[in-house]
């Protein structure tokens, strides 16, 4: 469903992604690990359509469609969702208005009718309850004053509501306390589906105990230097990245 | 006039001289000599230009190429605009500069009187300084409205004053006065509209507002003039002790507009909020010039003006807060924020403080920027198309100015107005 080929991305004179190849099939969960600054968030931004990066080579194809021609909103409507590493606060935008606008924009892009407001309200309440997002948080402007962990839960709430076919989670576990990690993981697992794929970026095995990946990749200096099964994450937890990075440098 | 005599009148000045010579000067409740004096003052200064400090950014001599003749009275608009919201309202219409009692609400509630201005109201001007535009208003005054609200009156109805222009290529000069008694509570909505949206005309309005002690007043000005119109509005507000006054200007219409406000505190412990939003595009030029005089101690003023400027439009904000030597414990905070949506959009923001007292809390600031790309990406990444995401962020930027008015009816009506202006009706909460 997602095919990334020889992807190179460039920003302000730096090559950040230097030839990424990755194929993700429906139902699969791929974990991406790698040292700080290796390009994990950049990859997630480039997938989601952030315009700061220049794609110098390669392609991103999603469900047969070339994504590089599409804007971020069109990619979202095509089913991609990025849960941000650092969700931003938007004062003056009411959370509920935002959620409704986003949901209906995607429905319209797919030729569906707007969801009637009462049904929308019911849906949000239901999903919010699952993720322990309080009604009080929903009354605030988007992400404003949310704690780090609350922001992450709010991201997963958006994901649950929008029901994307490809979920990209960028360090969703960082900043979560132990209970929140469990709640969020349950939320994510609830979305596991034979037709839905996930790319989970994380530094810790801990998250992968809850969300068990089919494949684990190590990203280093803009390239995937190692791929393996879920046992690779355990190995990394044990020994760190040194082995792979040295391998690459050599 | 200094030694360097003005070489020649501009075409607009020559027209004004010609029009004044033909004017029937003893009409509209005004004595001829009041008009003569004002016009003589205007003539010696001429139309304000770049070298007049208060008009530096709005060179009226260059921008007002023509001066249209005063409109004839007595025309009745084919349709009257509907009220801005469905709350209770007392409607007053000023058509082509004249008050038209026949068009508005037929009866006023107890405590409210409405009449036309007379000599006494125009001559005892409350405007603190000489200004050529106010002189022109006095010289050509065609009418207007005098509203009084008796002390203690708590009006549930908003007083809506609708200025309408029915005739293209005319000028309207109205003089208005609103006297609000002590402890009264009032919402005034002042609207400026042209009958045909593409008509060129000129509006020169002047309003003098006095607010009694402990009164609570909200004044909303909705400037929705026709696209080619020139709008000049001078407002004076005198604030009594312990009064609570909010003024809001929503600038959207007109090719050229200037709202000049002169606010003075007359008694202690009063609170003032002057706020506004300008939404500009094409080649619009819109100027808000504000002078706040903290003449007495222990008063608070908040000034917050936000503008969204697109295409080749230009927005001017000048704000001066003066804190007199006696005005200890003054709290004055002025902020002006602009969002530039195009490369060619322009803003001139000049907030100033002049403080002569030592125990005060005052600050001012100004910011100018464009739409934050990271915020835009976040919204787009959730499937919101770029144009809609931009609208949401513009609304978000403007929201603060509206919310600070702290009056539910005012907030609702301003929000719906702003959304309509931005074509963003669907983002109602
Ligand atoms: N807009 C930018 N301008 C300049 N450099 C950038 C930009 N965006 C990313 N980089 C650089 O690209 C590299 C990769 O950054 P990225 O955020 O993708 O790393 P990461 O793998 O997500 O790291 P972390 O584990 O710390 O989240 C970093 O060296 C970063 O400084
Ligand atoms: Mg990162």
């Amino acid at each position: 469903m997602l095919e990334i080929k020889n992807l190179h991305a460039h920003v302000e004179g730096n090559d950040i992604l230097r030839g990424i190849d990755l194929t993700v099939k429906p139902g699969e969960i791929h974990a991406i690990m790698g040292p700080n600054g290796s390009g994990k968030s950049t990859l997630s931004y480039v997938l989601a359509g952030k315009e700061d990066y220049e794609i110098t080579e390669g392609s991103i194809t999603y469900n047969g469609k070339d994504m590089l021609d599409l804007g971020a909103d069109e990619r979202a409507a095509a089913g991609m969702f990025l849960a941000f590493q650092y969700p931003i606060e938007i004062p003056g935008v009411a959370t509920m208005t935002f959620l409704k606008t986003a949901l209906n924009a995607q429905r319209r892009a797919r030729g569906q009718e707007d969801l009637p407001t009462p049904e929308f309200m019911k849906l949000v309440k239901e999903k919010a309850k699952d993720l322990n997002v309080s009604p009080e948080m929903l009354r605030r402007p988007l992400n404003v004053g949310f704690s780090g962990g609350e922001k992450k839960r709010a991201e997963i709430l958006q994901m649950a509501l929008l029901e994307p076919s490809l979920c990209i989670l960028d360090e969703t576990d960082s900043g979560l306390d132990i209970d929140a990690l469990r709640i969020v993981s349950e939320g994510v697992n609830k979305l596991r589906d034979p037709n839905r794929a996930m790319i989970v970026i994380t530094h810790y095995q801990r998250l992968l105990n809850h969300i068990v990946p089919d494949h684990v990749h190590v990203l280093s200096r803009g390239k995937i230097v190692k791929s393996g099964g879920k046992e690779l994450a355990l190995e990394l937890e044990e020994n760190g990245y040194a082995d792979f990075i040295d391998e690459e440098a050599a | 006039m200094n030694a360097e005599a003005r070489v020649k009148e501009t075409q607009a000045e020559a027209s004004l001289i010609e029009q004044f010579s033909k004017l029937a000067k003893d009409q509209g409740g005004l004595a001829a000599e009041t008009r003569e004096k004002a016009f003589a003052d205007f003539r010696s200064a001429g139309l304000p230009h770049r070298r007049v400090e208060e008009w530096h950014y709005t060179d009226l001599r260059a921008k007002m190429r023509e001066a249209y003749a005063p409109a004839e009275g007595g025309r009745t608009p084919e349709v009257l605009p509907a009220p801005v919201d469905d709350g209770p309202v007392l409607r007053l219409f000023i058509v082509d500069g004249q008050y038209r009692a026949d068009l508005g609400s037929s009866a006023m509630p107890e405590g409210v009187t409405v009449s036309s201005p007379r000599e006494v109201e125009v001559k005892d001007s409350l405007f603190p300084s000489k200004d050529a535009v106010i002189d022109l208003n006095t010289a050509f005054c065609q009418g207007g409205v005098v509203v009084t609200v008796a002390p203690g009156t708590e009006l549930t109805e908003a007083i809506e004053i609708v200025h309408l222009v029915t005739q293209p290529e005319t000028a309207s000069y109205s003089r208005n006065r609103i006297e609000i008694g002590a402890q009264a509570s009032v919402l005034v909505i002042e609207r400026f509209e042209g009958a045909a949206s593409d008509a060129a005309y000129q509006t020169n309005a002047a309003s003098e507002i006095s607010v009694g002690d402990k009164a609570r007043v909200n004044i909303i000005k909705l400037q929705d003039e026709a696209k080619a119109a020139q709008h000049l509005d001078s407002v004076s507000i005198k604030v009594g002790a312990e009064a609570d006054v909010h003024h809001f200007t929503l600038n959207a219409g007109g090719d050229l507009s200037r709202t000049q406000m002169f606010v003075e505190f007359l008694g202690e412990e009063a609170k003032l909020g002057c706020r506004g939003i300008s939404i500009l595009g094409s080649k619009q030029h819109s100027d808000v010039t504000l002078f706040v005089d903290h003449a007495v101690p222990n008063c608070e003023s908040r000034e917050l003006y936000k503008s969204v400027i697109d295409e080749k439009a230009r927005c001017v904000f000048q704000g001066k807060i003066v804190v007199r030597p006696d005005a200890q414990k003054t709290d004055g905070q002025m902020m002006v924020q602009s969002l530039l949506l195009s490369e060619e959009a322009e803003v001139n923001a000049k907030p100033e403080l002049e403080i002569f007292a030592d125990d005060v809390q005052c600050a001012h600031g100004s910011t100018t920027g464009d739409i934050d790309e990271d915020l835009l990406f976040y919204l787009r990444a959730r499937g919101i198309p770029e144009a809609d995401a931009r609208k949401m962020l513009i609304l978000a930027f403007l929201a603060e100015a509206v919310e600070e008015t702290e009056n539910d009816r005012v907030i609702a009506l301003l929000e719906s107005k702003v959304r309509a202006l931005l074509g963003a009706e669907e983002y109602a909460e």
Side-chain angles (χ1 to χ4, degrees), chain B residues 362-379:
Chain B
C362 291
H364 67 74
S366 106
T367 65
T368 302
D370 48 17
I371 287 185
D372 186 319
E373 291 295 327
D374 289 336
L375 302 187
L376 195 61
F377 174 62
Y378 190 90
L379 297 179

Side-chain angles (χ1 to χ4, degrees), chain A residues 11-12 14 16 34-42 53 85 171 203:
Chain A
V11 67
E12 290 169 19
N14 301 308
I16 314 289
N36 294 131
S38 55
K40 303 181 297 297
S41 293
T42 303
Y53 305 92
Q85 182 174 2
E171 292 197 30
H203 286 294

Side-chain angles (χ1 to χ4, degrees), chain A residues 49-51 71-73 76 81-82 84 88 90-94 97-98 101-102 105-106 108 143 155 158, chain B residues 373-386 388 392-393 395-397 399 403 426-429:
Chain A
K50 195 166 200 227
E51 284 162 6
D73 48 292
F81 181 96
L82 166 61
F84 285 75
I88 40 185
I90 313 192
V93 171
T97 309
F98 160 75
T101 308
Q106 295 202 14
R108 282 179 212 177
N143 291 332
E155 291 288 290
Q158 293 178 27
Chain B
E373 291 295 327
D374 289 336
L375 302 187
L376 195 61
F377 174 62
Y378 190 90
L379 297 179
R380 292 184 68 192
R382 296 300 177 250
I384 301 172
E386 181 171 358
D388 296 327
M392 288 182 89
L393 293 174
L395 286 172
F397 165 75
E403 281 158 13
E426 53 181 299
Y427 306 123
E429 270 167 53

Side-chain angles (χ1 to χ4, degrees), chain B residues 35-47:
Chain B
R35 294 183 191 273
E36 301 276 7
K37 178 166 182 323
F39 196 73
D41 288 346
F42 164 73
R43 233 186 128 161
S44 70
L47 286 169

Side-chain angles (χ1 to χ4, degrees), chain B residues 61-354:
Chain B
R61 184 180 287 174
K63 290 186 175 296
M64 198 169 144
R65 298 237 177 80
E66 285 181 80
Y68 298 125
E72 279 170 33
R75 305 281 181 99
T76 298
E78 279 164 30
V79 277
L80 295 174
V84 278
D85 67 7
D86 17 317
V89 65
L90 303 168
R91 313 201 75 194
L92 308 175
F93 287 91
I94 296 173
V95 178
D96 299 322
Q98 294 183 355
Y99 172 49
R100 291 285 298 273
D102 56 320
L103 300 178
S105 301
S106 47
M108 290 297 137
E110 207 184 314
V112 180
T113 69
V114 179
S115 58
S116 286
R118 294 153 302 154
E119 172 71 9
V120 52
E121 277 106 8
V122 178
K123 211 171 153 201
D124 306 342
S125 167
L126 299 177
F127 288 103
S129 57
K130 289 298 299 171
D131 182 274
V133 164
I134 301 172
D135 284 333
L136 276 181
N137 180 277
T138 306
F140 286 98
C141 172
Q142 293 158 302
V145 72
V146 177
V147 181
T148 66
V149 179
T153 308
E154 302 216 355
L155 265 189
T156 47
E157 300 92 338
I159 299 174
E160 186 192 35
I161 304 173
V162 188
H163 297 254
L164 286 177
V165 174
T166 66
Q167 307 164 66
E169 309 204 345
T170 60
S172 304
Y173 298 89
S174 69
R175 187 62 155 246
N176 308 290
R177 190 141 169 164
I178 303 170
E179 292 175 2
I180 297 158
Q183 300 187 38
S185 160
V186 188
L187 165 60
V188 178
I189 301 167
E190 201 179 12
R191 299 167 64 181
F192 291 89
E193 290 175 29
S197 67
D198 54 353
Y201 58 84
Q202 291 164 333
T203 300
N204 180 331
S207 300
E208 303 183 83
I209 301 163
S210 67
V211 178
D213 295 350
K214 296 186 183 168
R216 279 164 294 131
V217 182
N218 249 293
I219 304 155
I220 310 301
K221 170 184 169 178
L222 305 173
Q223 191 274 97
D224 245 333
E225 301 275 24
K227 280 190 181 63
Q230 298 194 327
H231 169 93
L232 301 169
D233 183 26
S234 309
V235 182
S236 151
I237 307 178
K238 304 288 181 193
V239 182
E242 294 177 58
D244 192 352
V245 179
H246 289 273
H247 186 279
F248 196 101
T249 303
L250 181 57
N251 259 318
D255 177 49
L256 169 76
S257 74
R258 169 151 162 135
T259 301
Q260 46 180 4
M261 295 181 48
F262 307 88
V263 189
E264 187 187 354
F265 287 95
L266 299 182
E268 295 189 31
E269 306 284 352
K271 281 189 187 169
L272 166 76
C274 285
R275 301 183 182 88
I277 287 177
S278 299
I279 298 173
L280 309 173
S282 62
K283 288 184 179 170
Q284 282 182 296
H285 176 112
S286 176
D287 174 336
V288 172
T289 291
L290 175 65
F291 180 78
V292 178
D293 189 350
H294 279 272
V296 296
N298 293 312
C299 290
E300 181 186 299
S301 74
R302 290 280 174 277
E303 293 81 19
L304 177 61
Y305 286 84
K306 299 216 180 204
S307 58
V308 178
I309 315 159
D310 203 355
E311 299 168 313
K312 295 183 177 176
R314 181 169 176 188
C315 181
V316 174
F317 175 84
Q318 305 181 95
K320 187 186 268 187
I321 301 181
V322 174
V323 183
R324 304 275 172 199
D326 289 343
Q328 301 296 1
K329 307 275 181 209
T330 291
D331 178 349
Q333 316 286 334
M334 175 158 50
M335 187 52 143
V336 44
Q337 297 178 320
S338 312
L339 201 56
L340 297 175
L341 301 184
S342 91
E343 294 279 311
E344 288 168 296
E346 214 185 319
V347 61
N348 302 106
K350 195 175 147 202
E352 282 181 284
L353 288 170
E354 251 179 48

